[in-house]
Amino acid sequence: MYVGTLSFDLLLGDVRSLKEKRSVVRPIVAELQRKYAVSAAEVGGQDLHRRAQIGLAVVSGDPGHITDVLDRCERLVAARPEVELLSVHRRLHGDDD
């Protein structure tokens, strides 16, 4: 069994309130979950207006499949015009960890 994780650090565009922030972050999380069947959530920076951290995880028996899904998720977030992707942290955990 393998578990792959991604953590995105995002800078949001013209966001002036936490309500506006939710209207940007929630659709990204929902699209990741719907398109790629990953577990995803906002995991950091909840009290900051213009910053967000989204984390996601995927489980599979094939590390190649995990790499493919994580690559697709990263491209999806990077392509969103309303956010700037500041950094991405990727980890692959196997049975030997």
Side-chain angles (χ1 to χ4, degrees), residues 46 53 70 77 87:
Q46 284 95 342
Q53 186 176 14
L70 296 182
V77 173
S87 67

Side-chain angles (χ1 to χ4, degrees), residues 49-66:
H49 290 68
R50 296 200 58 223
R51 294 289 292 271
Q53 186 176 14
I54 295 175
L56 66 85
V58 61
V59 177
S60 177
D62 177 18
H65 174 71
I66 289 179

Side-chain angles (χ1 to χ4, degrees), residues 7-11 74 77-80 83-88:
S7 175
F8 301 106
D9 187 13
L10 305 174
L11 179 63
E74 187 173 343
V77 173
R80 298 294 292 238
V83 300
E84 180 181 342
L85 184 57
L86 298 176
S87 67
V88 179

Side-chain angles (χ1 to χ4, degrees), residues 16-87:
R16 294 191 178 100
S17 70
L18 293 176
K19 185 176 182 179
E20 286 181 31
K21 177 185 178 178
R22 282 192 308 272
S23 72
V24 172
V25 173
R26 281 181 149 170
I28 294 171
V29 170
E31 186 174 7
L32 287 166
Q33 292 170 332
R34 186 183 75 251
K35 276 190 160 183
Y36 302 112
V38 298
S39 295
E42 183 180 1
V43 296
Q46 284 95 342
D47 57 344
L48 302 173
H49 290 68
R50 296 200 58 223
R51 294 289 292 271
Q53 186 176 14
I54 295 175
L56 66 85
V58 61
V59 177
S60 177
D62 177 18
H65 174 71
I66 289 179
T67 300
D68 183 50
V69 170
L70 296 182
D71 288 345
R72 290 174 189 225
C73 290
E74 187 173 343
R75 284 193 299 271
L76 182 142
V77 173
R80 298 294 292 238
E82 67 273 20
V83 300
E84 180 181 342
L85 184 57
L86 298 176
S87 67

